[in-house]
Amino acid sequence: MAASSRSGVSRKLWFLASAVLVVIALYTAGWFYAASVLKEKTLALLGSQETKGVSAACADAEYRGYPFRIGLFCSQVAVDDRNNGISATFGQLRSAAQIYNPGHIVWELDSPAVFRTGHGLTVSSTWENFQSSLVTKLKGVERTSAVLDNLKTSIVSAATGQSFDINAAHTEIHMRQNGQDLDAALSIRDTDTTAKGIPALLPRLSATLDLTLVGRAGMIDGSDPNGMALYGTQGEMRRLTADLGEGRLITVTGPFSFDGEGYLSGRLKLQVEKIDAWRDGLSQAFPDMARTIETATKMLSALSGGENASLDLTINRGKVLAGGFIPIGEIPPI
């Protein structure tokens, strides 16, 4: 009886150990499957869509965090939209999700980042800290947000020779799918802008942008047939603001579009609050242009009839017209 009892106990222990091993094996297989999904979702956010000519590569991909977290690490990330002639490269990527909530992914991205378009536009950025999160759904990405500290961006257009440098102490980006449309919001704080050796293109300011891109919800998860490109896109600028403080505020609203060649068109409303304060601030920043600034502010005051100005801007394939007929500048294609 004693031998039979020991044999029974041994069989139970063997079955228990086997069950534990099976559970561990299934969990491990599930972990690596979830890790592959994490890679797919993360690269999709960057625009990967092989069937449409958009690819995202994760160099030296490595999974970490087993058993309770899922992490994807890349030494470098590259995105290439071959159909639209757009490419981008980034530094090291680190992403992770809790095993009990794999649809909520947090990730960090190192600089530098370089974007290039077929029209000769190059955007280069560096930063001290980039933290982001995204929430996935059954297929694709539902919403995402990112926070960057000490962002430094250089924009160069080979077509016009124009170049700008923009530095921002704090930047936040939020995007979400809204049916077939994409809602996007951007805020930057304590921003300095220079151009072609000019000490300060504008006084230090903070800015916000709130817009909708019609029919472009798929940009957030790589399912958009046009990939990252804005060519042929229509949108609504709900609010673009530039704030110098002390009530000096510029607001731009209205519909806009990019044609197939990347030229901007739109009918926008420009509102300037405290015109005299803007005149004083800009004249102090650019003393050599004080007379021109004085003339421009007087014209705005005459058009609006007060301290606050409102002006209609028409943009026709990059050409900017005030009031529909006064040319004031030109915007190069993206």
Side-chain angles (χ1 to χ4, degrees), residues 50-201:
E50 293 283 356
T51 59
K52 300 295 190 304
V54 183
S55 62
C58 172
D60 304 317
E62 181 181 1
Y63 300 112
R64 302 179 188 176
Y66 180 84
F68 301 116
R69 300 186 74 192
I70 310 169
L72 171 66
F73 289 70
C74 310
S75 62
Q76 186 183 53
V77 174
V79 180
D80 186 17
D81 184 345
R82 296 180 293 277
N83 292 339
N84 294 295
I86 300 174
S87 64
T89 58
F90 306 88
Q92 188 178 84
L93 170 71
R94 299 173 296 279
S95 62
Q98 299 293 341
I99 191 66
Y100 56 81
N101 188 16
H104 184 198
I105 303 168
V106 295
W107 54 293
E108 297 179 346
L109 191 63
D110 291 345
S111 63
V114 180
F115 297 82
R116 293 184 175 89
T117 75
H119 291 291
L121 186 68
T122 301
V123 181
S124 305
S125 295
T126 62
W127 53 82
E128 289 186 2
N129 181 50
F130 183 126
Q131 294 183 330
S132 181
S133 67
L134 63 96
V135 176
T136 65
K137 54 185 181 180
L138 184 60
K139 291 184 178 181
V141 178
E142 182 178 4
R143 63 181 184 272
T144 183
S145 62
V147 176
L148 298 90
D149 293 321
N150 293 324
L151 175 66
K152 301 180 184 298
T153 298
S154 175
I155 304 173
V156 179
S157 172
T160 64
Q162 293 177 341
S163 63
F164 300 91
D165 292 311
I166 305 172
N167 301 329
H170 185 79
T171 304
E172 292 191 22
I173 304 169
H174 303 273
M175 294 187 294
R176 67 169 185 173
Q177 289 188 344
N178 183 7
Q180 298 299 314
D181 302 335
L182 178 69
D183 290 339
L186 168 70
S187 65
I188 52 178
R189 190 180 70 235
D190 296 335
T191 303
D192 297 311
T193 305
T194 59
K196 292 184 178 180
I198 298 175
L201 184 62

Side-chain angles (χ1 to χ4, degrees), residues 275-287:
I275 297 175
D276 291 342
W278 275 96
R279 178 200 60 204
D280 296 341
L282 292 174
S283 297
Q284 184 177 2
F286 311 105

